[in-house]
Amino acid sequence: MEQNERIATLETQLDSLAKALERIETKLDAYNANFLPRNEADFRFEKVEDEIKEIKQNKRANLSLTVSVLAVTVTFIFALLNYLK
């Protein structure tokens, strides 16, 4: 009788462990669903780095354009002053 009781106890413990493992796996699946896979994260970071480089180049281009416009404006003003005198 004792052996049957031990087996029944072990079976119930094994059942509860199996259910606990299922709950843990479900929670881990839900937890992992919130994160990006590594290759997708690398792809996105590369895109962000490219956009940052492009923004820096645009800033330089805009600065060059501004300097050029100012130089043309100053030249035009001096030409106008020379013409009026």
Side-chain angles (χ1 to χ4, degrees), residues 59-73:
K59 282 185 181 179
R60 289 184 193 134
N62 288 341
L63 181 62
S64 298
L65 179 64
T66 304
V67 169
S68 298
V69 167
L70 287 175
V72 168
T73 305

Side-chain angles (χ1 to χ4, degrees), residues 43-79:
F43 178 73
R44 287 190 182 183
F45 287 133
E46 286 176 9
K47 287 285 193 183
V48 168
E49 288 174 0
D50 291 343
E51 288 178 9
I52 290 172
K53 287 179 186 176
E54 186 178 330
I55 288 171
K56 285 182 180 179
Q57 288 175 350
N58 286 343
K59 282 185 181 179
R60 289 184 193 134
N62 288 341
L63 181 62
S64 298
L65 179 64
T66 304
V67 169
S68 298
V69 167
L70 287 175
V72 168
T73 305
V74 168
T75 304
F76 179 73
I77 290 172
F78 282 131

Side-chain angles (χ1 to χ4, degrees), residues 15-27:
D15 260 352
S16 66
L17 279 175
K19 288 179 183 176
L21 281 175
E22 283 181 30
R23 287 194 308 263
I24 290 171
E25 287 176 353
T26 304
K27 287 181 181 179

Side-chain angles (χ1 to χ4, degrees), residues 5-21 23:
E5 290 175 7
R6 286 186 199 167
I7 291 174
T9 305
L10 288 174
E11 285 177 350
T12 56
Q13 288 177 352
L14 186 61
D15 260 352
S16 66
L17 279 175
K19 288 179 183 176
L21 281 175
R23 287 194 308 263

